[in-house]
């Protein structure tokens, strides 16, 4: 297990308190807001791999921690990144797994360790007839593609680009479930595996409202949801007896920085493209970021297409 430390110059300011108004079930709550500590480590994806350069796009959209590795999916690639958790650059410890070409539409990844282990990767929405449905791709533990399974959560053409943005596996009451977060609404759909289909049994909402919702992660009962547009992360608790959260949780800001991408060197939003999150341990998370759009300010390109590690305060 790797132990992370944070150099003095990368520490962020002391936590602050702010009031966040949430409309979950028409309930207004006051949530503490803190700032993530770090980054403890970070790297552009292309720098982790041999034979790639800055012209190669790695639009990271989801991440999962397993053992000493981070597994990262990209919405522009079918290949899946496997990166040692110390993030060594240009290293043969890092690799791209599976196969395929073209834009994948991959938005999240999770791992089922019950019985025969499987990986699950979600395609945000795929047209089936005249309706769009998220689709779950199943891989073996060694990341060999096995099958694709439809969900029954429907989207139309006006909202299919704001569909399932992240998934987290959970075993409960002798059944396999996926918690799937909807980018546009923040609904967390509870999907039950029934044969070759993932069927919605219920959905619930967080006690916080974000502009968008870009990934979800579980660590025991601890639940994390990240927002790309707000550059924030919510961390709270999943009930062990019902499909809901308990308590109000905490909102974390990603660290601010300078116009040259230096963390702590200014008050600009430099982590503006965070799309994936996974717990490393109870107090540490790994995140990954999409490619910045051409309309974004140049200082938001310094942290795009990257993997970062932060500590919760």
């Amino acid at each position: 297990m790797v132990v992370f430390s944070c150099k003095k110059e990368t520490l962020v300011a002391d936590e602050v308190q702010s009031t966040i108004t949430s409309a979950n079930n028409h309930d207004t709550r006051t949530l503490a807001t803190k700032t993530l500590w770090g980054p403890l480590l970070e790297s552009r994806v292309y720098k982790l791999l041999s034979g790639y350069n800055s012209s190669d796009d790695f639009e990271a959209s989801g991440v999962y921690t397993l053992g000493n590795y981070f597994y990262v999916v990209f919405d522009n690639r079918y290949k899946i990144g496997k990166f040692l958790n110390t993030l060594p650059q240009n290293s043969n410890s890092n690799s791209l797994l599976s196969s395929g070409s073209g834009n994948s539409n991959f938005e999240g990844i999770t791992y089922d360790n019950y019985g025969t282990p499987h990986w699950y990767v979600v395609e945000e929405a795929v047209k089936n007839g005249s309706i769009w449905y998220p689709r779950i791709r199943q891989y073996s533990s060694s990341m060999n593609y096995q099958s694709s399974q439809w969900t029954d959560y429907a989207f139309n053409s006006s909202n299919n680009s704001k569909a399932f943005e992240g998934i987290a596996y959970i075993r409960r009451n002798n059944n396999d479930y996926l918690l799937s977060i909807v980018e546009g609404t923040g609904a967390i759909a509870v999907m039950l595996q029934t044969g070759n289909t993932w069927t919605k049994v219920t959905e619930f909402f967080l006690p916080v409202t974000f502009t968008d919702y870009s990934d979800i992660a579980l660590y025991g009962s601890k639940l994390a949801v990240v927002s790309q547009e707000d550059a924030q992360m919510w961390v709270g608790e999943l009930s062990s007896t019902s499909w809901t959260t308990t308590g109000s949780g905490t909102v974390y800001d990603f660290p601010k920085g300078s116009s040259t991408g230096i963390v702590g060197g200014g008050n600009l939003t430099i982590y503006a493209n965070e799309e994936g999150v996974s717990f490393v341990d109870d107090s540490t998370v790994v995140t990954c970021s999409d490619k910045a759009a051409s309309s974004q300010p140049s200082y938001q390109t310094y942290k795009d297409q990257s993997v970062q590690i932060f500590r919760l305060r």
Side-chain angles (χ1 to χ4, degrees), residues 13-278:
D14 290 340
E15 66 186 62
V16 296
Q17 298 292 314
S18 68
T19 300
I20 297 179
T21 301
S22 171
N24 182 36
N25 296 326
H26 306 288
D27 185 21
T28 301
R29 309 185 184 194
T30 300
L31 301 184
T33 300
K34 303 180 179 181
T35 303
L36 292 169
W37 189 3
L40 310 183
L41 291 172
E42 66 179 348
S43 176
R44 286 286 182 87
V45 172
Y46 81 85
K47 291 184 177 182
L48 297 171
L49 298 161
S50 299
Y52 292 89
N53 57 49
S54 59
S55 66
D56 295 302
D57 287 337
F58 289 92
E59 299 174 13
S61 53
V63 58
Y64 189 88
T65 305
L66 182 63
N68 293 325
Y69 287 88
F70 302 138
Y71 293 79
V72 179
V73 292
F74 313 97
D75 59 25
N76 70 319
R77 293 176 181 266
Y78 278 90
K79 291 188 176 181
I80 297 168
K82 179 182 179 182
F83 306 128
L84 192 63
N85 61 8
T86 53
L87 300 182
Q89 296 188 354
N90 193 30
S91 172
N92 58 14
S93 295
N94 303 323
S95 58
L96 295 176
L97 307 176
S98 197
S99 61
S101 59
N103 292 330
S104 64
N105 199 28
F106 290 172
E107 291 293 350
I109 181 171
T110 191
Y111 187 69
D112 167 8
N113 62 358
Y114 179 79
T116 302
H118 291 103
W119 290 97
Y120 297 114
V121 173
V122 64
E123 297 173 86
E124 181 173 12
V126 180
K127 194 171 185 179
N128 187 8
S130 60
I131 306 297
W132 297 75
Y133 300 90
R135 191 165 60 183
I136 309 299
R137 290 169 63 94
Q138 179 176 300
Y139 295 78
S140 69
S141 59
S142 55
M143 206 59 81
N144 293 313
Y145 171 74
Q146 294 181 321
S147 63
S148 290
Q149 301 159 352
W150 289 104
T151 70
D152 68 349
Y153 202 107
F155 295 85
N156 58 40
S157 58
S158 66
N159 63 6
N160 69 79
S161 64
K162 298 292 184 180
F164 281 6
E165 195 74 1
I167 52 174
Y169 170 82
I170 182 171
R171 178 81 177 176
R172 182 176 283 191
N173 300 325
N174 296 316
N175 291 308
D176 294 322
Y177 295 93
L178 292 177
L179 302 185
S180 306
I181 194 158
V182 180
E183 180 181 7
T185 66
I188 299 177
V190 181
M191 311 297 294
L192 171 67
Q193 189 174 36
T194 53
N196 292 322
T197 303
W198 290 90
T199 305
K200 190 189 91 167
V201 295
T202 189
E203 62 184 13
F204 62 96
F205 291 85
L206 304 174
V208 64
T209 300
F210 285 142
T211 305
D212 74 334
Y213 306 81
S214 57
D215 201 9
I216 184 171
L218 269 175
Y219 188 84
S221 63
K222 185 169 282 190
L223 186 66
V225 170
V226 69
S227 170
Q228 176 179 353
E229 293 191 35
D230 296 326
Q232 290 181 316
M233 179 189 305
W234 175 88
V235 178
E237 294 289 325
L238 180 69
S239 170
S240 61
T241 58
S242 63
W243 296 114
T244 186
T245 59
T246 61
S248 56
T250 303
V251 173
Y252 291 88
D253 293 323
F254 282 87
K256 299 296 179 63
S258 71
S259 61
T260 56
I262 303 301
V263 174
N267 198 38
L268 298 174
T269 300
I270 56 176
Y271 289 97
N273 298 281
E274 301 306 301
E275 280 229 19
V277 62
S278 178

